[in-house]
Amino acid sequence: MTYFDIEKVKYEGPKSNNPFSFKYYNPEEKFGNKTMSEHLRFSVAYWHTFTADLSDPFGVGAAERDWDNLNDMDKAKARVEAIFEFMEKTGIEYFCFHDIDIAPEGENLKESNENLDEIVSLIKQKMDETGKKLLWNTTNNFTHQRFVHGAATSSNADVFAYAAAKVKKSLEIAKTLGAENFVFWGGREGYESLLNTDMKLELDNLAKFFKLAIAYAKEIGFNGQFLIEPKPKEPTTHQYDTDVATAHAFLQKYDLDKDFKFNIEANHATLAGHSFQHELRYARDNQMLGSVDANQGHPQLGWDTDEFPTDIYDTTLAMYEILKNGGLSSGGLNFDAKPRRTSFKQEDLVLTHIAGMDAFALGLRIAYKMIDDQFFENIVKDKYQSYTTGIGQKIVDDQTSFAELEKYALNLSEITNESDHLEVIKAQINQYILNINNGD
Ligand code: XLS
Ligand code: NI
Ligand code: NI
């Protein structure tokens, strides 16, 4: 059976009008010593692309999928066939999933695990046949009603235990399938209100949960990178892993920072009141940048809309941070993104990924050129040059005191500041974007 009635998507260049072609993503083209596909390491999110039905709080599912009328286990098997065909045709090398995306939950934990075993062995077989790889897997400890008060931060110890059992199973799956990373997104780890919440106990428990997960990964020899995916709100009012800085402080407090890096999602950054670039930069500056959930929010909608990334400005600045980080190592660009509810055809799954891949490919092209020109580096070098000599140098080298600084300040007849011409910088970025667009 064929699910996507198309040829393998090819690079046809910026002048092509074929919607089923790449305009900017040319997988084998080299940038430095890596090809585009090695730089970008794209990944398909099982949940949005193969499990979701495009329902929203106001409407039922609208997606039209070939597997809609199958029973649960047959549907799960059809989706495995479909995602591997999809990866082949789009040339995407990686995928990601939550436990419940790939196999239906049974009546109890034992049955759920049996369903997982059956589908995981099918996935393993497909991976062996095709060479496709698992970027990361994770555990859905938030959808079922048992997680109403959270999972590791639930007020109910039975739920903590149940959540642990599910993560244990997911780690075994990660080991079996050779996952390169393992993700913890907060789910319902947060609170509705502090009026009835013991925040200290909940955070202590969350740290204990992570320690137990690390211990089990060691025990079974799973060596993938652990990642935390920060988000400030939704579903809870306040999510504990609010943003990179907050989650980093948490990891440091509990001595977990050597065991984790971050999976940064663009739409979560903006929900936190930051830019995508801010979160990437904060992680990069602290050697904590692990992987990326590549999507975008909508400026008029205040929730996690998980749109496919199409904003070149954003993808350029994101690729700048990623290149400056020396790449993402075991991480990648996972499309945690869904078609709009109005894009309900099966072919939209392909078209949306092409749009996202081209947007990041364009971002890579532009950012690579900017770094080649030392564009931002020269701006920053100029701006901070007062720290390279005299008193500035002493500050940087920890060679001064308040007494010396006072003496220095008393001798200053006037202070001259320079304009930093931010608007010129933005105009020059526009030039970079347009020049690359013209193929220059
Ligand atoms: C939800 C998150 C989720 C994680 C994986 O907002 O983005 O999809 O990526 O649990
Ligand atoms: Ni995500
Ligand atoms: Ni999200």
Side-chain angles (χ1 to χ4, degrees):
M1 160 122 200
T2 302
Y3 293 95
F4 300 95
D5 198 14
I6 50 160
E7 301 288 299
K8 185 166 185 205
V9 181
K10 290 197 207 60
Y11 171 70
E12 292 182 4
K15 305 242 158 33
S16 172
N17 289 322
N18 172 10
F20 290 95
S21 76
F22 295 120
K23 321 297 178 297
Y24 304 101
Y25 180 59
N26 187 9
E28 296 309 318
E29 190 177 333
K30 281 222 155 169
F31 286 80
N33 54 9
K34 286 198 227 164
T35 63
M36 250 195 174
S37 93
E38 288 166 341
H39 275 292
L40 295 168
R41 295 167 61 86
F42 289 128
S43 158
V44 185
Y46 216 105
W47 54 104
H48 285 310
T49 305
F50 292 94
T51 318
D53 62 4
L54 299 181
S55 52
D56 71 14
F58 305 95
V60 296
E64 293 176 5
R65 303 289 184 254
D66 289 348
W67 46 86
D68 281 345
N69 296 320
L70 301 176
N71 73 40
D72 281 358
M73 273 311 265
D74 286 343
K75 198 182 276 184
K77 288 175 194 165
R79 285 169 171 152
V80 174
E81 297 289 330
I83 191 174
F84 280 89
E85 183 192 329
F86 181 86
M87 288 192 281
E88 197 50 44
K89 291 195 164 157
T90 53
I92 296 178
E93 295 301 322
Y94 292 92
F95 63 110
C96 296
F97 61 78
H98 303 80
D99 48 0
I100 70 164
D101 304 333
I102 60 168
E105 288 190 276
E107 290 294 311
N108 51 46
L109 188 59
K110 187 165 170 290
E111 277 183 28
S112 298
N113 286 348
E114 285 163 4
N115 290 348
L116 279 168
D117 288 340
E118 194 174 341
I119 302 299
V120 167
S121 69
L122 189 60
I123 291 178
K124 172 100 175 69
Q125 186 191 323
K126 285 279 176 187
M127 288 172 74
D128 291 343
E129 275 167 33
T130 60
K132 300 294 178 191
K133 291 162 280 191
L134 183 58
L135 187 67
W136 50 260
N137 64 314
T138 184
T139 315
N140 181 317
N141 277 346
F142 44 91
T143 297
H144 193 278
Q145 56 270 30
R146 76 177 71 85
F147 300 115
V148 65
H149 296 302
T153 66
S154 173
S155 44
N156 183 346
D158 286 354
V159 177
F160 184 105
Y162 202 100
K166 285 190 76 206
V167 170
K168 175 176 177 289
K169 182 71 181 170
S170 290
L171 287 168
E172 290 158 11
I173 294 171
K175 165 84 179 162
T176 304
L177 299 181
E180 299 192 16
N181 308 272
F182 188 86
V183 164
F184 292 91
W185 164 59
R188 293 179 193 275
E189 313 296 25
Y191 58 75
E192 285 310 311
S193 169
L194 274 181
L195 298 176
N196 57 6
T197 299
D198 185 341
M199 182 157 73
K200 173 146 190 333
L201 176 75
E202 292 197 1
L203 284 168
D204 286 351
N205 281 352
L206 184 58
K208 289 181 203 305
F209 193 93
F210 287 143
K211 299 235 182 216
L212 292 168
I214 292 163
Y216 190 65
K218 288 219 173 84
E219 188 180 326
I220 63 171
F222 170 65
N223 300 319
Q225 173 68 54
F226 273 20
L227 299 170
I228 287 199
E229 183 180 321
K231 184 175 185 179
K233 55 189 169 191
E234 197 191 300
T236 72
T237 312
H238 176 96
Q239 298 276 116
Y240 287 134
D241 300 325
T242 302
D243 60 5
V244 174
T246 308
H248 191 217
F250 165 85
L251 292 173
Q252 287 173 317
K253 170 172 176 187
Y254 293 98
D255 196 22
L256 285 161
D257 52 314
K258 300 290 174 289
D259 294 295
F260 282 89
K261 286 189 175 176
F262 290 107
N263 181 39
I264 294 175
E265 178 163 324
N267 205 161
H268 297 179
T270 51
L271 284 181
H274 302 305
S275 64
F276 185 19
Q277 190 187 11
H278 169 94
E279 290 291 83
L280 294 167
R281 175 74 62 88
Y282 198 98
R284 168 163 85 83
D285 282 346
N286 290 284
Q287 291 81 49
M288 294 292 281
L289 177 52
S291 198
V292 168
D293 269 4
N295 63 13
Q296 68 187 26
H298 195 290
Q300 284 154 264
L301 300 171
W303 63 91
D304 198 14
T305 57
D306 289 337
E307 302 189 12
F308 273 85
T310 48
D311 183 326
I312 316 170
Y313 217 90
D314 257 14
T315 59
T316 298
L317 297 176
M319 284 315 300
Y320 172 79
E321 297 300 330
I322 292 168
L323 289 170
K324 292 294 280 185
N325 193 57
L328 290 172
S329 180
S330 66
L333 297 176
N334 171 51
F335 290 113
D336 192 353
K338 57 183 177 230
R340 298 303 83 202
R341 190 165 181 271
T342 46
S343 304
F344 49 81
K345 293 281 191 199
Q346 202 152 298
E347 66 179 19
D348 285 309
L349 298 178
V350 178
L351 294 169
T352 49
H353 280 80
I354 293 175
M357 290 162 83
D358 266 341
F360 265 92
L362 198 43
L364 167 62
R365 289 175 187 279
I366 301 163
Y368 193 86
K369 174 86 174 100
M370 285 174 157
I371 292 174
D372 213 34
D373 294 350
Q374 295 285 289
F375 175 68
F376 290 117
E377 290 71 13
N378 286 334
I379 290 168
V380 168
K381 198 168 145 206
D382 252 28
K383 181 164 170 173
Y384 296 90
Q385 56 158 299
S386 67
Y387 286 95
T388 59
T389 54
I391 195 71
Q393 176 88 65
K394 284 186 158 184
I395 294 169
V396 169
D397 294 343
D398 297 320
Q399 294 298 324
T400 191
S401 63
F402 259 21
E404 185 185 25
L405 291 166
E406 182 194 44
K407 193 164 156 241
Y408 182 86
L410 286 168
N411 284 331
L412 279 174
S413 47
E414 60 177 328
I415 290 180
T416 331
N417 273 313
E418 303 290 337
S419 163
D420 67 5
H421 306 302
L422 182 58
E423 295 77 1
V424 175
I425 297 168
K426 290 182 176 177
Q428 286 169 336
I429 295 175
N430 287 346
Q431 279 181 291
Y432 271 102
I433 292 174
L434 283 167
N435 288 343
I436 293 277
N437 213 353
N438 290 330
D440 297 349

